[in-house]
């Protein structure tokens, strides 16, 4: 308490603070008013000086026009002295054209002019008219700046004679031609503020005395006012301290009707409000507990709603999970369908996949039935988890019998959650269960039935049924495709056997035909040698025709043997340098080329994996064909070229190394491209035997050789413009293969 009392004694009271602040406000206000009055008076004096200087300079400039034009310094000096008699004027100068100084008067030596003043001491320049200025500059310690007034002297243009000037000066100002006025000189006046300053100093003393008196009087009057205003505040503070200690019975007596009195009344009302607020707080505390209980109930309800939303979200997540699992199971069925396994093995994998998927409420038991061809009977082809009695009883189920038979005959899903009373095939010890039997339909045909067990008492689930129907539809496509593939394999095998038999037959037939044909040729030659002269002309003709037919038959049989040997006498694939093969072909055809007067141009050919004998036969047939079908009026020219190129996989756009292209081009007779497929057939000809020799089997052999190597051959031609044959072969083969 002693420390608190000491602090209160040391702390300045509100009355002292208020008195000090009011005193400072009075003194500050008085000083500011005095300063404002002095500055206003200085501006007024400066305006008077400027107005006086402009009036004098204007009058002097107007009266000096005649003297400046005539350069009459005496007259100008007289005029300048009239102005110089003003006590505020410190210097007068008059200048003529080209700044010639005509008059310069000063009151005393050392008068300050703008040219003697530093640039930073020039306060400002004010333009009076165009080309005329008033300059304000400092003159030592004076507060009011000195004025330097520059006024131009104007006159009429081309006025130089006294008579004209006298007449001009007699005219009134409005009658003079202002457009022809020119500057002929300058008048400059210096105005000093010293006379005005003497008046300002006396005014400053008077204002200072007045300001001091007003400040002292204000302070004296402030003391009782402050005491009167602060006493209620002191009482208010004392009452507040007691209220802070918990005494809400305090009341401040309000003796005044001003703001302090209003504050005291407000304070008393506040005390009453505090007592009421304390009562209300007690009441609110009681109601708050009730609200907490209500809020707790609301939170419990919100928690229940949140649990429902979470349950709904879990249900949605479970549905998404089931959908993903369904899709995964169907994808697995499709993966199984592309495996190269028998149909029954494929069905076994599919039923295991369906019963082990743990989808919905499906059980781990089930089977797949296929409809037997030619009868309305279902045969169990695959099962998962079925007992031996079930496999025996249900191995064959007629249409319409039991649940699976009904699904097949009615072509719709048959569902039961308890099959005990509806099972026609029953045995002792059969467990209670349900069934979902889905027919496997492909168009209008029933291919079989998909049978999946369900838990006993399980309710029908539309999503479960949709999944099984989708699985059955997928099974229908798999079964139909697999059956088609198996039928195609059987047909292909039969076709290959037939082709082999045909090739073997052609080889054997052509080989066996040669012996009687040789006898026909031999006996025909003997007959021609021994009996030709004894035959008449018709007999000799018959003999010639028989020998010619025998020769053609021999040629056809040899061609047929060559065609069959492409397969029967094929050699394994090895690395073959086509350039070396081409040189051997040209060596064989050398005499024929010389007889025709033609030439064969051959570039560098690549090395590929192939049958060397068949490559030689391919190139020899193509070049020989080009030489044979030449134009009579032109020597044959055959060009052979080859290159390795990139192949483009269909649908992917990727390029892959591994193809060799052989091109044989000629300048022969050509053919119409509508016959391009015909020329590669066996014994197919576009020209008669009399015109071009041959059997029509050479290009067929070329095609068979190219296809045996896994390639293709094509031709481009135009009638009379030559032909181009293009053989495309794989550059790499499986070495040792003999397809």
């Amino acid at each position: 308490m002693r420390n608190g009392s000491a602090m209160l004694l040391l702390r300045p009271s509100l009355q002292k603070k208020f008195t000090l602040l009011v005193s400072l406000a009075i003194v500050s206000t008085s000083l500011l008013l005095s300063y404002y009055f002095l500055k206003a008076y200085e501006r007024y004096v400066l305006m008077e000086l400027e107005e006086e200087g402009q009036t004098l300079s204007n009058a002097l400039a107007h009266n000096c026009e005649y003297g400046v034009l005539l350069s009459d310094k005496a007259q100008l000096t007289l005029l300048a002295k009239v102005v110089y008699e003003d006590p505020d004027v410190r210097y007068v100068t008059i200048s003529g054209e080209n700044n010639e100084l005509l008059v310069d008067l000063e009151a005393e030596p050392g008068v300050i002019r703008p040219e003697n003043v530093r640039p930073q001491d020039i306060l400002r320049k004010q333009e009076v008219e165009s080309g005329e200025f008033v300059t304000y500059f400092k003159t030592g310690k004076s507060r009011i700046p000195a004025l330097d007034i520059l006024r131009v002297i104007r006159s009429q243009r081309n006025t130089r004679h006294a008579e004209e000037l006298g007449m001009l000066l007699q005219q009134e100002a409005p009658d003079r031609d202002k457009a022809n006025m020119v500057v002929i000189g300058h008048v400059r006046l210096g105005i000093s503020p010293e006379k005005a300053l003497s008046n300002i100093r006396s005014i400053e003393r008077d204002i200072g005395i007045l300001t001091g008196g007003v400040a002292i009087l204000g302070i004296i009057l402030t003391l009782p006012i402050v005491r009167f205003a602060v006493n209620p505040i002191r009482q208010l503070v004392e009452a507040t301290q007691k209220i802070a200690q918990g005494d809400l019975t305090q009341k401040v007596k309000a003796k005044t009707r001003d703001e302090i009195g209003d504050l005291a009344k407000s304070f008393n009302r506040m005390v009453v409000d505090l007592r009421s607020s304390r009562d209300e707080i007690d009441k609110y505390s009681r109601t708050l507990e009730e609200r907490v209980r209500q809020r707790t109930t609301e939170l419990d309800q919100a928690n229940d709603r949140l649990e429902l939303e979470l349950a709904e979200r879990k249900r949605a997540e479970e549905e998404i999970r089931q959908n993903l699992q369904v899709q995964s199971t169907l994808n697995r069925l499709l993966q199984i369908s592309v495996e190269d396994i028998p149909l029954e093995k494929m069905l076994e994998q599919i039923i295991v996949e369906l019963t082990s998927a743990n989808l919905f409420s499906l059980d781990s038991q089930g089977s797949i039935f296929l409809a037997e061809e030619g009868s309305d009977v279902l045969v169990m082809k695959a099962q998962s988890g079925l007992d031996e009695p079930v496999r025996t009883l249900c191995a064959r189920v007629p249409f319409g019998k039991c649940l699976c038979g009904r699904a097949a005959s009615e072509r719709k899903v048959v569902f039961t959650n308890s099959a005990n009373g509806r099972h026609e095939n029953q045995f002792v010890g059969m467990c209670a269960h349900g069934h979902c039997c889905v027919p496997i339909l492909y168009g209008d045909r029933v291919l079989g039935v998909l049978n999946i067990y369900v838990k006993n008492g399980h309710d029908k689930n539309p999503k479960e049924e949709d999944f099984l129907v989708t699985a059955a539809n997928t099974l229908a496509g798999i079964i139909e495709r697999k059956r088609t593939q198996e039928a195609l394999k059987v047909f292909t095998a039969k076709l290959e056997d037939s082709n082999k038999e045909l090739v073997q037959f052609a080889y054997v037939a052509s080989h066996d035909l040669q012996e009687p044909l040789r006898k026909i040729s031999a006996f025909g030659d003997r007959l021609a040698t021994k009996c030709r002269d004894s035959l008449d002309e018709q007999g000799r003709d018959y003999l010639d025709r028989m020998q010619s037919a025998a020769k053609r038959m021999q040629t056809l049989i040899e061609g047929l043997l060559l065609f069959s040997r492409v397969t029967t006498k094929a050699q394994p694939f090895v690395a073959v340098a086509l350039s070396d093969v081409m040189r051997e072909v040209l060596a064989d055809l050398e005499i024929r080329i010389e007889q025709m007067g033609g030439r064969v141009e051959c570039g560098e050919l690549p090395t590929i994996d192939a049958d060397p004998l068949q490559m030689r036969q391919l190139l020899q047939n193509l070049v020989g064909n080009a030489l044979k079908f030449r134009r009579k009026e032109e020597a044959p020219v055959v060009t052979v070229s080859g290159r390795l190129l990139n192949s483009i996989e269909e649908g992917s756009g990727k390029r892959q190394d591994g193809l060799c292209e052989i091109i044989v081009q000629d300048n022969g007779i050509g053919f119409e491209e509508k016959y391009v497929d015909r020329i590669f057939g066996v014994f197919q000809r576009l020209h008669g035997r009399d015109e071009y020799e041959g059997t029509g089997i050479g290009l067929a052999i070329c095609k068979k050789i190219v296809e045996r190597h896994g390639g293709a051959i094509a031709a481009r031609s135009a009638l009379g413009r030559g032909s181009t044959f293009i053989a495309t072969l794989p550059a790499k083969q499986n070495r040792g293969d003999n397809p």
Side-chain angles (χ1 to χ4, degrees):
M1 291 297 293
R2 291 181 180 179
N3 292 334
S5 301
M7 290 298 295
L8 290 174
L9 292 174
L10 294 175
R11 187 179 62 182
S13 62
L14 183 61
Q15 182 177 350
K16 293 179 181 179
K17 291 180 181 180
F18 197 29
T19 302
L20 180 60
L21 290 175
V22 173
S23 301
L24 290 175
I26 293 173
V27 173
S28 300
T29 304
S30 301
L31 292 176
L32 289 175
L33 289 174
S34 301
Y35 179 77
Y36 173 76
F37 288 145
L38 288 175
K39 286 298 178 181
Y41 184 73
E42 288 179 0
R43 287 196 297 271
Y44 172 74
V45 170
L46 188 61
M47 291 174 59
E48 290 291 331
L49 289 175
E50 182 179 346
E51 184 177 355
E52 179 184 358
Q54 289 182 2
T55 301
L56 292 174
S57 63
N58 190 27
L60 183 58
H62 180 72
N63 294 324
C64 289
E65 181 180 356
Y66 181 79
V68 172
L69 286 173
L70 300 179
S71 299
D72 188 352
K73 294 184 178 181
Q75 182 185 4
L76 295 174
T77 302
L78 182 61
L79 293 172
K81 287 182 178 181
V82 173
V83 176
Y84 197 60
E85 292 178 355
D86 191 309
D88 293 328
V89 178
R90 286 293 176 264
Y91 57 85
V92 178
T93 61
I94 300 174
S95 302
E97 290 184 311
N98 300 324
N99 293 326
E100 178 184 1
L101 186 62
L102 300 176
V103 176
D104 186 5
L105 299 179
E106 292 184 356
E108 56 185 20
V111 174
I112 297 176
R113 298 188 183 187
E115 58 266 20
N116 298 327
V117 178
R118 295 178 302 174
Q120 59 267 31
D121 292 335
I122 296 176
L123 300 178
R124 65 186 175 91
K125 284 187 177 181
Q126 179 181 2
E127 186 176 358
V128 178
E129 296 177 4
S130 179
E132 303 175 6
F133 293 90
V134 178
T135 304
Y136 300 86
F137 60 91
K138 294 182 180 180
T139 57
K141 298 181 180 180
S142 175
R143 290 199 303 271
I144 301 178
L147 280 71
D148 179 78
I149 301 175
L150 178 67
R151 177 74 66 176
V152 298
I153 304 173
R154 302 177 185 272
S155 180
Q156 193 76 25
R157 288 194 181 101
N158 301 325
T159 304
R160 290 294 182 269
H161 300 287
E163 295 81 2
E164 294 178 359
L165 181 60
M167 294 175 64
L168 180 64
L169 293 176
Q170 290 176 2
Q171 295 179 1
E172 295 295 332
D175 298 332
R176 301 178 68 177
D177 187 3
K178 294 183 179 180
N180 292 324
M181 299 293 284
V182 296
V183 177
I184 62 173
H186 300 82
V187 172
R188 190 172 181 181
L189 298 181
I191 308 298
S192 173
E194 293 180 359
K195 180 179 178 182
L197 287 176
S198 60
N199 295 332
I200 290 177
R201 292 190 183 95
S202 62
I203 293 174
E204 285 178 351
R205 288 193 297 271
D206 296 340
I207 291 176
I209 294 171
L210 180 61
T211 300
V214 171
I216 293 172
L217 180 61
I219 292 172
I220 293 172
L221 294 176
T222 298
L223 294 175
I225 296 173
V226 170
R227 189 180 299 109
F228 178 76
V230 170
N231 284 336
I233 297 176
R234 186 183 296 113
Q235 295 175 3
L236 188 61
V237 171
E238 293 174 355
T240 304
Q241 292 175 350
K242 292 180 180 180
I243 292 172
Q245 296 174 359
D247 185 6
L248 297 180
T249 60
Q250 291 294 320
K251 189 175 182 180
V252 180
K253 298 180 180 179
K255 298 181 178 180
T256 61
R257 296 183 180 179
D258 53 8
E259 288 79 0
I260 300 299
D262 295 339
L263 180 61
K265 294 178 181 178
S266 299
F267 182 82
N268 293 333
R269 286 196 299 270
M270 182 190 69
V271 174
V272 175
D273 293 340
L274 284 175
R275 288 198 297 268
S276 301
S277 298
R278 187 168 60 182
D279 297 337
E280 291 179 358
I281 289 173
D282 294 338
K283 181 179 179 181
Y284 182 76
S285 298
R286 291 189 295 270
T287 58
L288 182 60
E289 295 178 358
E290 181 64 25
R291 291 184 179 180
V292 169
R293 286 194 295 271
Q294 293 177 357
R295 184 58 177 168
T296 303
T297 303
E298 293 176 357
L299 290 175
D300 291 339
Q301 295 175 353
N303 188 42
D304 294 339
R305 290 194 298 271
L306 182 60
E307 290 179 354
L308 291 176
E309 292 177 359
L310 290 175
E312 182 65 21
R313 181 174 180 179
K314 289 181 179 179
R315 187 196 63 76
E317 291 176 352
E318 178 64 20
E319 185 175 352
I320 293 173
R321 186 192 65 79
Q322 287 183 353
N323 291 337
L324 291 176
Q325 196 170 0
V326 166
Q327 188 63 41
S328 176
T329 302
L330 294 177
N331 290 339
R332 178 58 185 155
L333 298 186
L334 294 176
Q335 291 175 1
I336 295 173
S337 69
V338 298
E339 296 179 3
D340 189 14
I341 57 177
L343 177 59
E344 292 188 5
K345 186 69 175 177
M346 186 178 295
L347 295 178
E348 290 176 0
Q349 293 185 12
I350 289 174
I351 192 61
V352 171
E353 187 70 29
L354 290 174
T355 55
S356 62
N358 295 325
L359 287 169
F360 308 105
S361 296
L362 301 179
D363 207 344
S364 59
Q365 295 175 292
S367 59
I368 297 176
F369 294 88
L370 293 184
E372 190 176 47
E373 294 185 7
S375 64
D376 293 338
V377 176
L378 296 175
V379 180
M380 184 185 295
K381 294 294 185 179
Q383 59 83 28
S384 175
L386 298 184
D387 297 330
E388 180 62 28
V390 177
R391 296 199 296 270
T392 303
L393 289 174
C394 299
R396 296 175 62 85
V397 178
F399 278 32
K401 183 179 179 182
C402 205
L403 299 174
C404 295
R406 285 180 52 199
S409 60
E410 296 176 4
R411 300 188 178 190
K412 66 179 182 179
V413 178
V414 175
F415 175 84
T416 178
N417 59 1
S418 179
N420 292 339
R422 305 179 63 184
H423 243 299
E424 297 181 19
N425 295 331
Q426 295 191 17
F427 60 92
V428 179
M430 185 174 67
C431 298
H433 62 277
H435 278 279
C436 187
C437 301
V438 183
I440 303 173
L441 304 176
Y442 190 83
D444 296 334
R445 293 184 294 128
V446 178
L447 301 182
V449 173
L450 172 63
N451 175 31
I452 302 296
Y453 283 36
V454 296
K455 302 295 182 182
N456 189 47
H458 171 62
D459 293 332
K460 187 175 182 180
N461 186 347
K463 293 183 178 179
E464 182 179 273
E465 184 174 325
D466 290 342
F467 164 68
L468 292 178
V469 170
T470 303
N473 293 336
T474 305
L475 269 173
I478 294 172
I479 294 169
E480 189 66 19
R481 184 175 61 83
K482 193 64 178 178
R483 286 177 173 175
T484 303
Q485 288 179 348
E486 291 177 353
L488 183 62
K489 285 182 180 179
V490 173
F491 178 77
T492 302
K494 291 181 179 179
L495 185 62
E496 289 178 353
D497 294 340
S498 177
N499 287 337
K500 289 179 181 179
E501 292 175 358
L502 287 175
V503 171
Q504 187 67 24
F505 172 78
Y507 176 76
V508 172
S510 60
H511 188 273
D512 294 342
L513 286 174
Q514 290 191 77
E515 182 61 27
L517 187 61
R518 279 195 294 268
K519 289 183 178 181
I520 294 173
S521 298
F523 284 112
D525 292 340
R526 289 182 183 181
L527 183 63
T529 302
K530 294 182 179 182
C531 303
R532 185 177 185 85
D533 294 336
S534 61
L535 297 175
D536 57 9
E537 184 177 355
Q538 187 177 13
R540 287 193 299 271
D541 181 59
Y542 290 159
L543 180 61
D544 292 339
R545 290 185 180 185
M546 182 186 69
Q547 288 180 319
S548 177
K551 289 180 181 179
R552 288 199 305 273
M553 187 66 179
Q554 182 69 32
T555 303
L556 291 175
I557 291 173
E558 290 175 353
L560 190 60
L561 279 173
L562 289 175
F563 185 78
S564 64
R565 284 172 180 171
V566 173
T567 303
T568 59
K569 299 296 183 179
Q571 299 297 320
F573 295 145
V574 295
V576 178
L578 296 180
S579 295
D580 296 340
V581 175
M582 190 63 202
R583 281 192 287 271
E584 295 175 1
V585 170
L586 293 178
D588 292 342
L589 299 174
E590 182 178 3
I591 297 175
R592 185 177 177 185
I593 295 172
E594 289 179 356
Q595 291 175 350
M596 294 180 177
R599 70 178 187 274
V600 177
E601 300 175 352
C602 181
E604 189 67 24
L605 300 178
T607 298
I608 64 173
D609 291 345
D611 184 336
L613 293 179
Q614 290 185 355
M615 287 297 101
R616 180 172 180 175
Q617 190 174 8
L618 171 67
L619 292 173
Q620 187 163 348
N621 284 359
L622 291 176
V623 175
N625 236 35
L627 293 172
K628 180 170 63 174
F629 294 101
R630 68 187 186 279
R631 288 184 287 181
K632 295 180 180 180
E633 69 276 6
E634 186 176 355
V637 177
V638 182
T639 303
V640 182
S641 61
R643 59 174 180 167
L644 291 173
L645 46 77
N646 296 327
S647 63
I648 300 178
E649 296 182 4
E650 295 184 2
S652 64
K654 297 181 180 177
R655 303 189 71 86
Q656 180 181 357
D657 294 336
L659 291 181
C660 170
E661 187 178 73
I662 303 172
I663 302 173
V664 179
Q665 187 174 7
D666 61 61
N667 62 342
I669 60 175
F671 59 90
E672 295 182 17
E673 286 195 359
K674 65 181 180 180
Y675 301 116
V676 69
D677 293 332
R678 179 179 172 185
I679 63 175
F680 291 107
V682 181
F683 302 129
Q684 295 294 325
R685 299 173 56 90
L686 300 181
H687 306 86
R689 296 188 188 92
D690 297 336
E691 189 175 0
Y692 293 99
E693 62 180 5
T695 61
I697 203 170
L699 290 179
I701 293 175
C702 292
K703 181 180 180 182
K704 194 167 186 180
I705 290 173
V706 171
E707 290 178 347
R708 186 233 166 183
H709 285 73
I713 189 169
R716 294 196 301 268
S717 182
L719 198 61
R721 296 184 181 180
S723 303
T724 301
F725 289 85
I726 304 169
T728 306
L729 302 170
K732 297 294 181 181
Q733 302 277 2
N734 293 324
R735 298 288 183 89
D737 284 359
N738 186 16

